[in-house]
Amino acid sequence: MKRRVSAEVIINREIAPAIYDMWIQPVQKLPEINPGQFIGVFLKDKSLLLPRPLSICEVNADRTALRIVYRIAGAGTHEMSLRRPNDGLGYVTVLGPLGNGFPLEKGEGKRTLLIGGGIGIPPLLELAKRLKAEKQIVVGYQNCNTAGFLQRDLAQYGTVHVATEDGSVGTKGNVLDAVRQKRIEADLIYACGPMPMLRAVKAYAQEKGIPAYISLEERMACGVGACLGCVVKTNQVHHHTNVNNARICTDGPVFEADEVDI
Ligand SMILES: Cc1cc2nc3c(=O)[nH]c(=O)nc-3n(C[C@H](O)[C@H](O)[C@H](O)COP(=O)(O)OP(=O)(O)OC[C@H]3O[C@@H](n4cnc5c(N)ncnc54)[C@H](O)[C@@H]3O)c2cc1C
Ligand code: FES
């Protein structure tokens, strides 16, 4: 897949309330993809001009298809949920792969902890698949209605622990309550999820004195570095702009937690 291409929808099914699992087959073979990269999905409704950023959840072995798992958040993802294979609406236009992705080499051979919250869980699957390391995977869901999506997929590549806010499955509480309850020790963390979770992961990594690589899935506009709609403050002076700001869409979405002011 090179930049903007058309892709056939092969599968698009609801796997939990309002959460969809979609496989698409771009007309061109996919380039090498780093876990944690994302694509922008264009919509047919012309009032929804901007591509919707969605993390690459998985890529098939011969790199001819990729998977995204998304929650219906608004009009764009609702439109996506209506796409059916082989019905004339079964094509999407996508842009990507975009962003940097998780640094696999930092965790190789180490005790790694992969933490995902809610709709931040999808990019952990390709990461878990590709990472050659000991993997403890902690995933957090709101309740038993959503608990479980991608859990079995992840269990092929590491030990999975679940936390739910209402305690209906696994540890009652958040992902870090599960980490503490299970006494999980790690040399390095990879995480993706809502901002409050990422702030807590950053504080936890600092407390333990270990590095953490976090994916910031904040709101985006252009998705390709042109609009500055996604900047985050960093402690590094940006090589190109000479200021302490980075664009999440092109410099990220993955950053070392200590580098960003979140
Ligand atoms: C790098 C990146 C990767 C992402 N990966 C995934 C993924 O794998 N699966 C998934 O379900 N979602 C993911 N998201 C979020 C997804 O992009 C938004 O949910 C989607 O763009 C919403 O589009 P919409 O037209 O349906 O809703 P809109 O009408 O655009 O928005 C509906 C509501 O959702 C809120 N919203 C929109 N975008 C975000 C966001 N990024 N974070 C928090 N709230 C938001 C809006 O404020 C609004 O309240 C990702 C976002 C980024 C930046
Ligand atoms: S979304 Fe436009 S610069 Fe990042």
Side-chain angles (χ1 to χ4, degrees), residues 224-245:
V224 292
C227 72
L228 301 182
C230 65
V231 290
V232 61
K233 253 195 169 34
T234 66
N235 61 12
Q236 313 272 334
V237 175
H238 191 273
H239 60 279
H240 184 57
T241 54
N242 229 14
V243 292
N244 288 71
N245 281 336

Side-chain angles (χ1 to χ4, degrees), residues 2 23 32 35 54 60 66 70 77 90 107 153 180 186 193 209 235 246 255:
K2 245 205 161 37
W23 275 95
E32 194 62 52
L54 293 162
N60 70 348
L66 65 79
Y70 61 94
T77 42
D153 302 68
R180 291 197 170 93
N235 61 12
F255 295 90

Side-chain angles (χ1 to χ4, degrees), residues 102-103 106 113 115 187-192 197-206 208-215 254-260 262:
F102 291 104
K106 303 277 185 194
L113 171 55
I115 301 181
D187 306 313
L188 184 136
I189 299 175
Y190 295 104
C192 184
M197 185 199 100
L198 296 180
R199 288 195 190 104
V201 168
K202 176 176 173 171
Y204 177 80
Q206 283 172 338
K208 295 284 177 186
I210 58 175
Y213 293 89
I214 56 177
S215 180
V254 178
F255 295 90
E256 184 163 6
D258 276 345
E259 265 180 33
V260 282
I262 56 171

Side-chain angles (χ1 to χ4, degrees), residues 13 41 55 68 83 87 115 149-150 166 185 222 228 232 237 243 256:
R13 64 190 175 100
V41 177
S55 291
I68 49 183
R83 302 287 167 86
D87 74 348
I115 301 181
F149 78 84
L150 293 180
D166 65 357
E185 297 291 333
C222 71
L228 301 182
V232 61
V237 175
V243 292
E256 184 163 6

